[in-house]
Amino acid sequence: MAEVDTRPEEPVSAVIEQAQAGEDATDAQTQELALTTTNTEVAGPAEKKVKKIIRRKKRPARPQIDPALVKSEPPPQTGTTFNIWYNKWSGGDREDKYLSQTHAKGRCNIALDTGYTRADGVAGSFFCLFFARGVCPKGQDCEYLHRLPTIHDIFNPNVDCFGRDKFSDYRDDMGGVGSFSRQNRTIYIGRIHVTEDIEEIVARHFAEWGQIERVRVLNTRGVAFVTYSNEANAQFAKEAMAHQSLDHNEILNVRWATADPNPMAQKREARRIEEQAAEAIRRALPAEYVAEIEGKDSEARKRRKTESSYGLEGYEAPDEVHFARGKNAVNPRGREGYELEDQQLLMLEAGEAGGWGQEHGDEPQPQEQQQSSGGILSGSTLAALQAARVAVAEKPKAPVSAGPLVAYGSDDDSD
């Protein structure tokens, strides 16, 4: 029995469309194959990827407190005389005991409060004292800087980073602006709540205001000493942490530290001053002199060894001899007379070869003097001596007296 196809018949239009689609696919394949076989052009260089540097705009400084809360009240009496020009008391050498035990009204948050102000466009601007204390209401309209000091911020030694004048000596309580007699980078912190990790707590809180060089905590006395790398950061930290708290509710007593009597600390400070002086000298002298003196330039070292031997094998002149006079003298006065020595020798040799003496109308030298050039002195040396010859005026003879003692003389020793 024959099988019967029971599948439904497709319409004729669908069959035609499928056939056309198959033909189009084969045509596209043949065209791609033809393109791949006939295209012999060299591919161009790949496009370079350009990285776009997106610079973030500086944000403006925000007001730390509401300007409506600011009241112009006279400061509390801390002295004997009120100065109306500076709006503060004078004559007192200590702060009020009540104020030293009162918590500060605000605290500076460097991460949130830092921003540009009007002072960023003015060179040599000072830092905002109220910003350091966390109570500046002006924000971007402030005439002072709202950021941390850096090593590039250099001020007059007679003023601090806030523009306040220093004094010749410290106050009795080591508070206030400070003294210009010495560079103080260490601050004293008192009334600390002592715990096991107090040193880490002090370092964490005071590291917000700049790079710390050394931290020392006296657990038995509840005080700490923090030394900053930059004096301006120490000045900023003293105002920022005054009457603040650490991890507890204590009220800190922040003052300037006195000079450390420890001999090791004094040697460390002297070594730091010497390094600063050496750095200043490096910036003042040319780079080749610094490299030669410090022994960093190998070629200069070999040349120095050769030049300072002065023809003696195994001898090398010390620095005070080598750099005293000559072309390599560090002092400009020591280089006087040696800078044009090579040029003068070349000019003398050229003048001798080209008849320098004949052009100037000089008489020809005798044969005996010309033959003497083969002696001890060379011809160029003799020419230099001849050019440098200066006529010396004869001294006038004393007039002969016409008195009675003319031509008086005696061989007798008794006379």
Side-chain angles (χ1 to χ4, degrees), residues 17-316:
E17 291 177 357
Q18 291 179 0
Q20 291 178 353
E23 291 177 359
D24 294 341
T26 54
D27 292 341
Q29 292 177 359
T30 54
Q31 290 178 359
E32 291 178 359
L33 182 61
L35 289 174
T36 55
T37 55
T38 58
N39 188 10
T40 58
E41 296 179 358
V42 179
E47 296 181 358
K48 295 182 179 180
K49 295 182 179 180
V50 180
K51 294 183 179 181
K52 294 183 179 180
I53 300 175
I54 301 175
R55 296 181 179 179
R56 296 182 180 180
K57 295 183 178 180
K58 294 182 178 180
R59 62 182 180 185
R62 67 169 189 174
Q64 294 174 313
I65 60 173
D66 189 2
L69 301 177
V70 179
K71 298 180 181 179
S72 58
E73 297 180 355
Q77 183 174 356
T78 57
T80 57
T81 305
F82 183 75
N83 192 326
I84 60 175
W85 300 106
Y86 292 95
N87 194 28
K88 64 179 182 180
W89 290 91
S90 61
D93 210 15
R94 292 183 177 273
E95 293 184 359
D96 190 6
K97 296 181 179 180
Y98 174 75
L99 290 177
S100 63
Q101 297 178 1
T102 305
H103 198 279
K105 296 181 180 179
R107 178 165 179 172
C108 179
N109 190 338
I110 293 297
L112 300 178
D113 297 339
T114 301
Y116 69 85
T117 60
R118 293 181 179 179
D120 287 304
V122 181
S125 298
F126 296 103
F127 292 86
C128 182
L129 176 63
F130 298 99
F131 166 74
R133 295 175 178 175
V135 291
C136 183
K138 297 182 179 181
Q140 61 179 344
D141 297 330
C142 186
E143 301 293 338
Y144 297 89
L145 298 174
H146 280 211
R147 60 175 176 84
L148 282 178
T150 61
I151 57 176
H152 304 289
D153 298 316
I154 302 175
F155 304 103
N156 193 315
N158 296 332
V159 298
D160 63 354
C161 65
F162 305 108
R164 302 177 298 179
D165 294 331
K166 294 182 181 180
F167 300 94
S168 60
D169 198 1
Y170 288 95
R171 297 190 337 185
D172 293 343
D173 59 352
M174 296 302 291
V177 181
S179 173
F180 55 77
S181 59
R182 68 183 181 94
Q183 187 181 20
N184 198 345
R185 300 177 295 115
T186 305
I187 56 177
Y188 160 89
I189 304 102
R191 291 201 293 262
I192 297 177
H193 183 78
V194 180
T195 56
E196 295 180 357
D197 55 347
I198 185 59
E199 188 170 351
E200 298 179 2
I201 295 174
V202 171
R204 172 165 48 84
H205 281 271
F206 281 86
E208 300 178 12
W209 321 114
Q211 183 180 1
I212 293 179
E213 184 178 299
R214 187 167 177 261
V215 177
R216 183 186 180 190
V217 179
L218 304 179
N219 296 332
T220 56
R221 300 178 57 184
V223 298
F225 297 91
V226 178
T227 303
Y228 286 88
S229 301
N230 189 15
E231 185 183 12
N233 293 104
Q235 297 169 359
F236 194 95
K238 178 183 175 298
E239 297 294 338
M241 293 301 293
H243 309 155
Q244 298 289 348
S245 301
L246 298 180
D247 290 351
H248 301 85
N249 294 327
E250 71 272 33
I251 299 176
L252 300 179
N253 179 22
V254 185
R255 308 287 179 185
W256 288 113
T258 57
D260 195 347
N262 189 356
M264 296 298 295
Q266 295 178 358
K267 292 181 180 178
R268 184 167 55 249
E269 184 67 16
R271 185 167 58 251
R272 186 187 66 83
I273 295 175
E274 291 178 358
E275 292 176 357
Q276 287 184 349
E279 184 64 24
I281 294 174
R282 291 189 190 97
R283 294 180 181 180
L285 292 178
E288 55 270 15
Y289 284 116
V290 176
E292 183 177 356
I293 292 173
E294 295 182 350
K296 296 180 180 179
D297 190 356
S298 57
E299 296 295 332
R301 181 63 182 170
K302 294 178 181 178
R303 185 170 61 254
R304 158 72 190 280
K305 189 174 182 179
T306 303
E307 293 177 354
S308 62
S309 62
Y310 299 107
L312 302 176
E313 185 178 357
Y315 173 76
E316 183 176 357

